[in-house]
């Protein structure tokens, strides 16, 4: 798959089954993240790979956040689905350093976002599908503690990875006039 085909065809897919990337495939995904644009070479992100029994731990953390943040019973049921519907999840934490005025927190967060997108593309390039999810529960105290978040850090993604249960339709082509202007 060439790079342009990969970029123009990328889609999120929530219906994922085993296998998930392993070994060199997973290393490629993580290496792609480490090549994201990064002003100051801060690598302002960390990754937590969640699979197997780790998904049970994630479910407990998400349910704890639902209770803490009063998100309701529907969200509590969804916590189980999010934790167990895919074979692998990579949590992405933006590690924001507020002591560097030249590189503001918002720019560091964008770098973490670019790293997440690079992981998505690297997964797709190797035949895996994925979807990037968040939700209000990413601000749960126990979840943030388990993920090693400092005061200014943000959980920016729960990147769900696996093999497509079924192929998606071709990505649509957009009308650029709606999004582009020239100066």
């Amino acid at each position: 798959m060439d790079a342009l085909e990969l970029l123009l065809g990328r889609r999120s897919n929530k219906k994922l089954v085993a296998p998930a990337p392993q070994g060199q495939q997973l290393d490629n995904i993580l290496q792609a993240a480490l090549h994201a644009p990064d002003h100051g070479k801060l690598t302002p992100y960390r990754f937590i790979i969640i699979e197997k029994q780790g998904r049970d731990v994630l479910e407990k953390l998400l349910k704890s956040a639902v209770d803490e943040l009063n998100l309701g019973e529907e969200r509590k049921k969804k916590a189980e689905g999010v934790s167990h519907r895919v074979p692998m999840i990579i949590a992405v934490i933006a590690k924001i350093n507020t002591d560097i005025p030249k590189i503001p927190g918002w720019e560091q967060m964008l770098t973490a976002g670019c790293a997440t997108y690079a992981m998505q593309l690297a997964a797709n390039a190797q035949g895996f599908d994925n979807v990037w999810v968040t939700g209000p529960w990413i601000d749960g105290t126990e979840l943030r503690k388990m993920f090693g978040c400092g005061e200014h850090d943000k959980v920016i993604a729960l990147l769900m990875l696996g093999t497509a249960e079924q192929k998606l339709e071709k990505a649509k082509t957009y009308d650029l006039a709606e999004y582009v202007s020239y100066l």
Side-chain angles (χ1 to χ4, degrees):
M1 173 179 298
D2 77 5
L4 190 56
E5 179 184 353
L6 178 64
L7 289 164
L8 296 177
R10 199 212 71 75
R11 304 224 11 233
S12 294
N13 188 350
K14 294 180 181 181
K15 296 185 179 188
L16 305 172
V17 296
Q22 297 295 319
Q24 188 61 53
Q25 296 163 328
L26 182 56
D27 288 352
N28 290 340
I29 290 167
L30 297 168
Q31 284 290 337
L34 293 166
H35 286 85
D38 182 6
H39 184 192
K41 298 180 183 169
L42 301 177
T43 56
Y45 42 78
R46 298 293 176 267
F47 311 117
I48 300 169
I49 298 170
I50 303 163
E51 55 185 340
K52 300 176 180 134
Q53 294 84 358
R55 296 178 305 164
D56 296 331
V57 174
L58 179 62
E59 179 185 342
K60 289 176 186 168
L61 293 170
L62 294 177
K63 286 181 174 178
S64 172
V66 168
D67 290 339
E68 175 188 355
L69 302 171
N70 298 312
L71 300 175
E73 286 303 311
E74 185 178 320
R75 186 65 75 161
K76 192 175 270 192
K77 289 177 188 170
K78 192 172 182 180
E80 185 174 330
V82 164
S83 302
H84 292 281
R85 82 169 154 213
V86 299
M88 177 183 284
I89 302 163
I90 300 178
V92 181
I93 296 89
K95 303 293 284 180
I96 308 301
N97 184 337
T98 58
D99 296 330
I100 306 172
K102 181 180 175 184
I103 307 168
W106 64 263
E107 189 174 342
Q108 295 174 54
M109 187 126 36
L110 286 174
T111 295
C114 287
T116 305
Y117 186 55
M119 286 194 292
Q120 287 188 287
L121 293 174
N124 289 143
Q126 297 179 98
F128 296 99
D129 274 10
N130 57 78
V131 61
W132 176 340
V133 300
T134 53
W137 44 35
I138 60 173
D139 291 321
T141 302
E142 286 183 39
L143 182 133
R144 289 179 51 76
K145 183 178 178 184
M146 181 65 77
F147 286 179
C149 292
E151 178 185 358
H152 301 288
D153 299 343
K154 282 297 262 182
V155 179
I156 64 158
L158 297 174
L159 183 58
M160 313 293 196
L161 292 159
T163 300
E165 189 173 69
Q166 58 188 2
K167 290 292 180 194
L168 297 176
E169 295 177 20
K170 186 178 178 190
K172 73 178 187 175
T173 300
Y174 292 90
D175 177 5
L176 296 178
E178 294 181 38
Y179 304 98
V180 179
S181 62
Y182 292 87
L183 187 62

